[in-house]
Amino acid sequence: PDLSIIDAREKFKKFIQFVSEFSVEEWIAVEEEKIKQAELEKEKNLCFVDSNVLENLRDTALFYPCSGNDLMTPIRLFSPYVTDFWFVDRGYFSLGHQDTKHYGFDLPASKHKPLLEDNADYELIGNPVIIGSENFPRKKDIEPCILTETYLHIPSQRTIRIHKRRGYGFSAFRKEIKTMGVFFYRGDSCGEGGSGNLWLSDKEHVHEICEKLINKGLMVLDGSDGAYYHKKPYGEYCGFWKWKGEKFTNSSEIKSVCGDFTDKKGNKFTCVGYAGIRYGNTLMWQLSKASLLAL
């Protein structure tokens, strides 16, 4: 809806010019790089989260279902505090998978180069550990596989573990996560390449997330989950989508516009930060659990 016909035609013209010289995969890679750079630029200007909010997350886990290649932002934001990063996608370690082949995460687990080997803030400790089959026939049900890399985060002198897990988000959440400090979720949909899991549109799923989040834990969301658009302005969790397309100019504006809201269980959600833009504004919602609010 934000793209005019004139702009769409111009994009299509550039696309035709590009693919006359390069492959579609190369064009996709260039476009993804543009998106990444635009995201980084906006993060420089708008990203914020109070230090006291982050202190609550020390030595906890972060869980990100349907994560694709969107790994660096959560790692960069939370490395000084979170210990275990769980990135889950059905397309990991599945050769030729349409969701991951464009950036190489479809390769067998042993063929993945260390994720942070080119980042001076991290030092790989030991060898990566692989649990499960490195690849699987895509016509079968998904067999879980976990690739774990351990790093020293040099600025904070903390040891962190990064887990990439092939599998379904809900089963991974129920099997691997007992408690967590951050639920990170963005860029998902019911369309091609999306999971169709609708983590946020079913209140029972939201309740399940809240049960495993620590008190004062964070839900970091860009409002993407594939729910029918006409349903998003309504219901107790509409705040997760309400400001998805808002054009913010500074952090003070974000704090003043994105108000608190409370669900029917009495859990309170407060906007305490901003983590850039993916398919909408990525807001950080701090959970204050109903059972503790009265204390």
Side-chain angles (χ1 to χ4, degrees):
D2 295 333
L3 188 66
S4 70
I5 293 295
I6 294 174
D7 289 340
R9 286 173 176 161
E10 183 63 25
K11 282 180 175 288
F12 182 70
K13 180 180 177 181
K14 290 181 179 178
F15 168 75
I16 294 300
Q17 291 172 341
F18 193 98
V19 296
S20 65
E21 301 179 31
F22 303 97
S23 68
V24 173
E25 286 77 12
E26 289 172 316
W27 180 80
I28 290 172
V30 169
E31 290 302 305
E32 287 188 341
E33 182 62 27
K34 289 180 182 177
I35 292 172
K36 185 188 299 182
Q37 293 304 317
E39 176 185 338
L40 289 174
E41 186 62 30
K42 187 159 187 177
E43 284 181 4
K44 289 179 186 176
N45 299 327
L46 288 179
C47 272
F48 75 92
V49 59
D50 295 335
S51 59
N52 61 330
V53 170
L54 293 171
E55 281 295 335
N56 294 315
L57 310 177
R58 192 169 292 280
D59 299 325
T60 62
L62 177 148
F63 182 78
Y64 188 168
C66 316
S67 47
N69 66 340
D70 185 27
L71 280 59
M72 294 312 301
T73 295
I75 290 172
R76 183 175 67 253
L77 286 172
F78 297 111
S79 283
Y81 304 92
V82 167
T83 299
D84 284 275
F85 293 81
W86 284 92
F87 299 102
V88 180
D89 201 290
R90 62 186 181 181
Y92 291 161
F93 325 131
S94 177
L95 198 60
H97 198 288
Q98 65 176 8
D99 296 352
T100 51
K101 66 181 180 180
H102 300 301
Y103 42 86
F105 282 9
D106 65 318
L107 296 175
S110 63
K111 301 298 183 182
H112 282 228
K113 74 172 188 176
L115 183 66
L116 303 174
E117 69 175 1
D118 297 326
N119 192 316
D121 285 341
Y122 299 87
E123 179 183 335
L124 183 66
I125 300 174
N127 295 317
V129 176
I130 299 171
I131 300 175
S133 174
E134 290 190 39
N135 196 12
F136 79 105
R138 291 174 55 197
K139 293 183 179 179
K140 296 184 178 180
D141 285 339
I142 296 177
E143 298 176 10
C145 176
I146 302 171
L147 169 62
T148 299
E149 298 168 1
T150 302
Y151 293 90
L152 173 67
H153 180 236
I154 296 172
S156 67
Q157 287 297 294
R158 295 183 67 255
T159 299
I160 65 169
R161 291 177 291 273
I162 297 174
H163 313 276
K164 281 186 285 188
R165 187 188 194 274
R166 180 182 65 224
Y168 298 110
F170 289 124
S171 58
F173 183 69
R174 291 159 187 161
K175 183 174 181 179
E176 308 293 352
I177 303 298
K178 292 183 174 61
T179 184
M180 62 183 173
V182 182
F183 178 78
F184 201 106
Y185 179 63
R186 62 183 188 174
D188 195 17
S189 72
C190 280
E192 184 176 352
S195 72
N197 287 157
L198 309 184
W199 279 81
L200 303 179
S201 63
D202 185 329
K203 66 179 181 180
E204 296 305 320
H205 294 330
V206 178
H207 295 167
E208 191 174 359
I209 294 167
C210 291
E211 285 176 6
K212 293 195 175 187
L213 264 180
I214 63 170
N215 187 49
K216 303 299 183 182
L218 299 181
M219 295 179 70
V220 185
L221 315 168
D222 75 342
S224 297
D225 82 333
Y228 293 110
Y229 186 79
H230 69 273
K231 292 185 177 180
K232 291 186 177 184
Y234 309 101
E236 57 189 313
Y237 297 111
C238 66
F240 291 149
W241 300 285
K242 192 172 183 179
W243 296 281
K244 177 179 178 179
E246 193 79 20
K247 304 298 183 183
F248 293 120
T249 58
N250 56 69
S251 58
S252 298
E253 182 183 1
I254 295 171
K255 288 182 178 180
S256 63
V257 170
C258 303
D260 302 346
F261 67 94
T262 304
D263 68 12
K264 292 179 181 179
K265 284 179 169 285
N267 296 313
K268 182 180 178 182
F269 300 88
T270 304
C271 182
V272 294
Y274 182 89
I277 190 166
R278 184 74 169 175
Y279 293 91
N281 293 307
T282 306
L283 299 173
M284 301 187 192
W285 297 98
Q286 186 179 60
L287 168 66
S288 298
K289 295 197 174 187
S291 59
L292 298 173
L293 280 171
L295 297 179

